Amino acid sequence: DVRRKFGQGVYGQIASVGKSRLVNDIAKEPNLTPDDLFCPAISAILAVPFLRRGEVLGLICAFKDEPDKFESNHISLFDSVAEHLAIAFENARLFEETKMMAITDGLTGLYNKRFLLERIDMELARAGRNHKNLSYLMMDIDNFKHYNDTNGHPAGDALLKEMASLIKSTIRQTDIAFRYGGEELVVLLPDTEKHGAIEIAEKLVKVIHDHPFMHR
């Protein structure tokens, strides 16, 4: 339940420096705070940061209930574990990034058509199992080709980004927005019947109508 900022307390200091630290007797460590001691039995602390590309991702900490019980080989052991752990974290992060890139539209940040086709099957099945409603909004931007021809494609891209941001900030947390393709956008509304979907659609129309888009 304790969170530390960089430089705060003994763990925050170790993280900010990025180097292993051995406190073999906590009675001789002036920078320890009561929150640094997670239980009364702690008498010695070994803290080893794990880093990737120079960034501290976290600390591995070990404790002894008597002072002067850690040895130099313990630091070597934990350094080795920390190195493997950092690689595992980095691989997991890269996997998540790659997965997100595969299902996300690069321009708007909305989910893409590929993910929509997967997700709608899942939501239909879930709605059927739980006897729930599922609604689906599909929209396109009026006169978008004319807007692009008149103002240029960079302006059109900026408009799409702005539109995506408006949609995401207007729909509920449980709703899911997608870019279907071109200027076509989709919102899935789980657990929502027709009347509720119309209300959300009308709210979206008003927000978009009132927004001061460039070149509108």
Side-chain angles (χ1 to χ4, degrees), residues 53 88-98:
R53 305 181 197 280
F89 266 83
E90 176 74 356
N91 288 342
R93 186 185 65 80
L94 289 172
F95 175 78
E96 285 301 315
E97 281 185 5
T98 304

Side-chain angles (χ1 to χ4, degrees), residues 101 104-110 161 179:
M101 286 171 65
T104 305
D105 174 59
L107 177 65
T108 62
L110 300 178
K161 288 181 190 175
R179 184 183 181 193

Side-chain angles (χ1 to χ4, degrees), residues 180-198:
Y180 188 80
E183 78 276 25
E184 295 173 323
L185 305 161
V186 167
V187 181
L188 271 182
L189 308 168
D191 301 336
T192 306
E193 39 69 50
K194 184 177 179 180
H195 179 72
I198 290 171

Side-chain angles (χ1 to χ4, degrees), residues 10-209:
V10 70
Y11 304 107
Q13 289 168 12
I14 294 165
S16 64
V17 174
K19 292 184 178 178
S20 303
R21 175 84 185 279
L22 174 57
V23 180
N24 241 333
D25 187 350
I26 63 165
K28 298 175 182 177
E29 176 53 57
N31 293 321
L32 280 170
T33 67
D35 284 341
D36 290 328
L37 304 175
F38 303 120
C39 75
I42 292 174
S43 294
I45 300 169
L46 172 60
V48 178
F50 49 98
L51 303 87
R52 200 67 182 151
R53 305 181 197 280
E55 178 189 1
V56 175
L57 305 177
L59 302 177
I60 305 173
C61 299
F63 307 95
K64 293 279 192 183
D65 57 4
E66 293 180 42
D68 301 316
K69 289 294 183 181
F70 280 115
E71 299 171 7
S72 58
N73 65 315
H74 288 134
I75 297 178
S76 302
L77 172 65
F78 275 82
D79 278 339
S80 175
V81 172
E83 189 175 339
H84 287 289
L85 187 58
I87 292 169
F89 266 83
E90 176 74 356
N91 288 342
R93 186 185 65 80
L94 289 172
F95 175 78
E96 285 301 315
E97 281 185 5
T98 304
K99 191 168 79 171
M100 282 303 296
M101 286 171 65
I103 63 174
T104 305
D105 174 59
L107 177 65
T108 62
L110 300 178
Y111 290 115
N112 60 21
K113 180 179 178 180
R114 171 185 168 181
F115 187 57
L116 167 66
L117 298 177
E118 292 177 16
R119 190 61 188 252
I120 199 166
D121 285 342
M122 290 168 51
E123 291 296 337
L124 281 167
R126 190 175 72 87
R129 281 196 312 272
N130 301 325
H131 306 290
K132 298 282 188 182
N133 293 295
L134 174 67
S135 294
Y136 175 104
L137 305 179
M138 191 162 191
M139 63 197 93
D140 68 1
I141 301 171
D142 290 345
N143 307 312
F144 187 68
K145 183 179 184 305
H146 174 72
Y147 186 93
N148 263 343
D149 291 344
T150 305
N151 304 298
H153 286 278
D157 288 349
L159 177 73
L160 283 166
K161 288 181 190 175
E162 221 168 335
M163 185 74 75
S165 179
L166 280 178
I167 291 170
K168 284 193 287 188
S169 63
T170 303
I171 60 177
R172 305 163 302 183
Q173 281 192 327
T174 52
D175 303 330
I176 315 164
F178 304 81
R179 184 183 181 193
Y180 188 80
E183 78 276 25
E184 295 173 323
L185 305 161
V186 167
V187 181
L188 271 182
L189 308 168
D191 301 336
T192 306
E193 39 69 50
K194 184 177 179 180
H195 179 72
I198 290 171
E199 282 187 354
I200 293 169
E202 288 175 344
K203 184 179 178 183
L204 275 170
V205 169
K206 184 176 188 316
V207 167
I208 292 165
H209 177 270

